[in-house]
Amino acid sequence: MFSVYSWVLLFQIHISQHSGRLFPDPSGDGGKWLDAHYDPVAGLYTFSSCVDLADLSGDGESRLVAGDLGCGASAMKLKVYRGTALMSESALLDLPSGLVAFFMDLHQPRIPAVAVASGPCIYVYKNLRPYFKFTLPGLEVNALEQDVWQQVREGQIDQLTLKEMLEGIRRKADVPLSVRSLHFLSLETNEMDQFIQLHKQQPIRRQTVITVIGTLKKSTADEDGVSCLVIGTESCDVYVLDPEAFIILSKMSLPSVPTLMDVTGQFDVEFRITVACRNGNIYILRRESDKPKYCIELSSHPVGLVRVAKNVVVGCTDESLQGFTQKGKKLWRTLVPAPITTMASMDLPTRGFQAVLVGLANCEVHLYRDKNLLSSIKTPDAVTSVCFGRYGREDGALIMTTRGGGLMVKILKRTATFDERDSAPGPPPAQSVRLNVPKKTKLYVDQTLRERENGTAMHRAFQMDLSRMRLAAAKAYVKALESSMAPVSSSAAEPLKVNAVVQGLGPSFKLTLNIQNTAAARPVLNLAVSFLYDEKLYRVRTPYLRVPLLVPGLVYPLQTFVECTSDKGVSDIIKVFVLREGRSAPLLTAHINMPVSEGLPLA
Amino acid sequence: MGLFDKLAAWLGLKKEVNVLCLGLDNSGKTTIINQLKPSNAQAQDIVPTIGFSIEKFKTSSLSFTVFDMSGQGRYRNLWEHYYKEGQAIIFVIDSADKLRMVVAKEELDTLLNHPDIKHRRIPILFFANKMDVRDALSSVKVSQLLCLENIKDKPWHICATNALKGEGLQEGVDWLQDQIKTMKT
Ligand SMILES: Nc1nc2c(ncn2[C@@H]2O[C@H](COP(=O)(O)OP(=O)(O)OP(=O)(O)O)[C@@H](O)[C@H]2O)c(=O)[nH]1
Ligand SMILES: [Mg+2]
């Protein structure tokens, strides 16, 4: 009773905590964030992989660099924001697939460069001016395809033959066709000739495109240490590029196309590249090997990948968040309330705080530490990119862009703290309060010790006693059987069963004995029934009954009347014996508990 | 001015006041105080303050002891330990830092609600500094964003300043001096 009551009480407390937080706080973040800036029409359309924060002017004030993918009429741009204002923008030639700020040299003042990956190229900007363009090496071209185009150039085949041959190559070749041939195959017949004339003189090239980009410190872990660029490509390769010479330092291959990547460590010492791939697996690459060292097979596709200290947190399309060790061992899994749009890490080293920000399609951003929800922020629109770090002069800035192109900056309050069980659904906090369990007494400890030391002996003693008890029980049973004290006789000669029914309120009772021969075929003869009772209390009308021949299986009711002679309201047992003529030991015995007589004896 | 003050002023003994100089990092607190010091005592290089530093300067009738607090996030929890001693507050705002106006407001609100400040009629002088920077907010805009009109139980005053040139500082210090002199002693 008490426990139910206290549970109800706890439940109420739990509820009121929730509602108490809901009303005075419209943004739903528990008053942990300051709204520094929101421009719903900033026209910035981007993803988490295309935003970064960096002190691009070396004045201690961090800027936001973003690769804007554009939308409809607005074109792709590289944008830089300072505080609440757009500081500069420049056109991008192609859709950006990733953007990172990194230190490419040791020059003073320490100003980072910006690398934008788009198509097969990396565009490097220094002081926000184009500085260098790196293009990935071309891929092997199909020899047959090359032959066919050679023939076209020599005028040996016409456009329809070309189309047929290319289709043949596409169907069975292990080296895929170049973009040019694929484009040709998609054309209408009337456009083909013009296309051939335009392109036939140029050599065929096959290019891959960059899908992900990251940075890897070269040899020091310093914040402003020189970093290598790490890129993943559509051709399932991962390259590490030297930051100064832009040569390929290392090439690793994956079983599938990388879509998300996290890099940690130093190239010259030890590093770890965690890549989520299009086949739904996560691979972990290490310095020593050009093949993945570990593989995590996910049950659904990854949409976000964040490293927290040594663990990896992955968001999947099945609305789940999962934690893994750096060796791929699964630690936990938790569900989120809506599809995940993007993820980012929230790392605040000055406060020793690390967590994961998860943008959701239901216009919320949730903050998780491991599987625990710490806090949630409501946003006016679903976010497509989230980035946490130093912006301006503020270390705890959260920058989000929305699906509609809005830009939002929130600043973590200096006094904000995150409580693990803050708003996480689940058991109320009181449940984890330690109970005041009394201390172990000396007696308890002594007993435990004794039990631990003499376990075998105690077990043996117990088994011995158990056997003795079983023996005693068996002996008693045998004795009962031998003296026919039970209402069932199992002797081979006369297998009998008897039960008695008493009817009436008293002082006159009717006693019916149902006797049954349980033998398979043999009838039983020469039986009699007699009663043993207290003659001061009862009088039995026929104290001796002869039993007729008992046919096996049939129930024979034998009836007699019992008169209670006492008016004291007492009752006693009447014993019924089934006897064999000429033998004094009964075949079986039944005890009848007589009811108390409720009537008065006739005067 | 009381007789004692007149006498003190005549003798060159000036009334001592403790002033707290607060505001976010990089708002220009140290630069402002440096400007207020006699030119021979001014520092050439100003670096971000660590913890706090104590500076002194004099006006026509008062001798100021200024606690120049560091505005960096990790040192802001030091501020409250000096609230009891402070007889006036100078709160400096970087009017060009629009992004952190909310942070300045948050720190100001925390200050105004502190038990050592809340029920005192302590004068607060706001310097909307860096007015020379392009796109800097006007002092009116700054006082709007900080909701200064809500301060009803304390005398306050805001001036736009350029601490690099010393512009606007004198007006503020004159106001502060008047406030302190009219305060009951
Ligand atoms: N343009 C301009 N710059 C200013 C002005 N006042 C200060 N500065 C500059 O702002 C920077 C910061 O000034 P400080 O006086 O060190 O700022 P602070 O408030 O003392 O900073 P902390 O000690 O870190 O709390 C310096 O580079 C100053 O030169 C001003 O009125 N205009
Ligand atoms: Mg200072």
Side-chain angles (χ1 to χ4, degrees), chain B residues 39-70:
Chain B
S39 48
N40 57 2
Q42 282 178 11
Q44 288 309 309
D45 289 327
I46 289 173
V47 292
T49 311
I50 307 292
F52 69 97
S53 72
I54 296 175
E55 306 289 338
K56 286 182 194 292
F57 69 90
K58 290 185 168 115
T59 59
S60 54
S61 60
L62 297 174
S63 167
F64 286 93
T65 302
V66 188
F67 292 78
D68 175 17
M69 308 300 297
S70 168

Side-chain angles (χ1 to χ4, degrees), chain B residues 63-132:
Chain B
S63 167
F64 286 93
T65 302
V66 188
F67 292 78
D68 175 17
M69 308 300 297
S70 168
Q72 290 174 50
R74 57 174 165 227
Y75 295 120
R76 277 180 224 156
N77 53 1
L78 289 181
W79 293 4
E80 61 180 12
H81 299 294
Y82 300 89
Y83 289 171
K84 273 209 179 83
E85 282 107 283
Q87 291 156 291
I89 292 171
I90 297 175
F91 198 95
V92 185
I93 301 118
D94 176 351
S95 10
D97 192 352
K98 291 174 210 164
L99 187 75
R100 291 205 299 166
M101 216 41 90
V102 272
V103 185
K105 180 179 186 319
E106 173 76 10
E107 296 298 352
L108 175 64
D109 291 346
T110 315
L111 161 75
L112 293 174
N113 285 316
H114 193 275
D116 291 346
I117 297 288
K118 197 174 167 108
H119 301 293
R120 285 168 60 195
R121 260 192 74 81
I122 180 170
I124 309 178
L125 172 60
F126 293 94
F127 280 134
N129 194 32
K130 305 202 185 180
M131 65 173 186
D132 55 303

